Amino acid sequence: MILGMTTSTFTLVHVVLSLVGIASGLVVVFGLLAGKRLDGWTALFLATTVATSVTGFGFPFDHLLPSHKVGIISLVVLTVAILARYAFHLAGGWRRIYVISAVTALYLNVFVGVVQAFLKVPALKALAPHQTEPPFLVAQLAVLVIFIVITILAAKRFRNEPVRAAARAA
């Protein structure tokens, strides 16, 4: 039992959090590319992605695994994104830092998703049983290139919003 749940229930919670994090993260990234903040989607993305990384440490283990290293990196990147967004309110350079860290957090979640797909989907596992074969490497390289391009475009397009009258009055 993990946190009062069976291992299969805990795994289901972890997977659902991850999928919600990826889906909401894609919405957030499209918002960034369109120059929109999408506050509700952003909160959902950050919360579920943090929860995904944290729950990843809940599975039994006896030594530090590559998935734990990715989880640690993800939590550091998410901390930066949360600080940039909520503590520094995207002011100045924090806007670009937020974009880079948020898209990086999404990339890490997708990276793990690709790893899991190659472990769990029989057709993919047959193509790359050890995850060192070309199909796995090409898939991960394609994901990385796509996220680098998205990060660059989002950093350019997600500009400062004009100050609204209500914000000026406050």
Side-chain angles (χ1 to χ4, degrees), residues 5-167:
M5 294 181 254
T6 64
T7 303
S8 61
T9 301
F10 186 79
T11 301
L12 178 63
V13 169
H14 176 75
V15 169
V16 168
L17 286 168
S18 181
L19 293 174
V20 171
I22 290 171
S24 60
L26 291 172
V27 172
V28 169
V29 165
F30 284 116
L32 295 174
L33 291 170
K36 298 183 185 308
R37 289 170 40 140
L38 303 178
D39 295 339
W41 284 104
T42 298
L44 178 64
F45 162 62
L46 293 172
T48 55
T49 306
V50 166
T52 298
S53 293
V54 170
T55 58
F57 292 99
F59 294 98
F61 65 96
D62 59 2
H63 65 282
L64 191 65
L65 299 169
S67 58
H68 297 122
K69 294 175 185 177
V70 172
I72 291 166
I73 293 167
S74 180
L75 287 169
V76 169
V77 168
L78 286 161
T79 299
V80 172
I82 290 166
L83 288 171
R85 176 69 178 80
Y86 297 106
F88 299 109
H89 308 287
L90 306 173
W94 287 104
R95 180 171 291 274
R96 191 160 280 169
I97 290 168
Y98 165 71
V99 169
I100 293 167
S101 57
V103 178
T104 300
L106 177 59
Y107 163 73
L108 292 170
N109 213 355
V110 171
F111 172 87
V112 171
V114 171
V115 169
Q116 290 300 313
F118 273 89
L119 285 172
K120 309 288 185 201
V121 176
L124 294 176
K125 187 171 180 107
L127 288 173
H130 303 290
Q131 296 189 347
T132 56
E133 295 81 7
F136 176 78
L137 300 174
V138 168
Q140 288 292 24
L141 180 61
V143 169
L144 177 62
V145 169
I146 290 167
F147 272 89
I148 289 171
V149 170
I150 288 171
T151 303
I152 292 167
L153 291 174
K156 288 180 179 180
R157 293 181 181 175
F158 190 61
R159 302 278 184 200
N160 290 332
E161 296 176 339
V163 178
R164 296 180 186 171

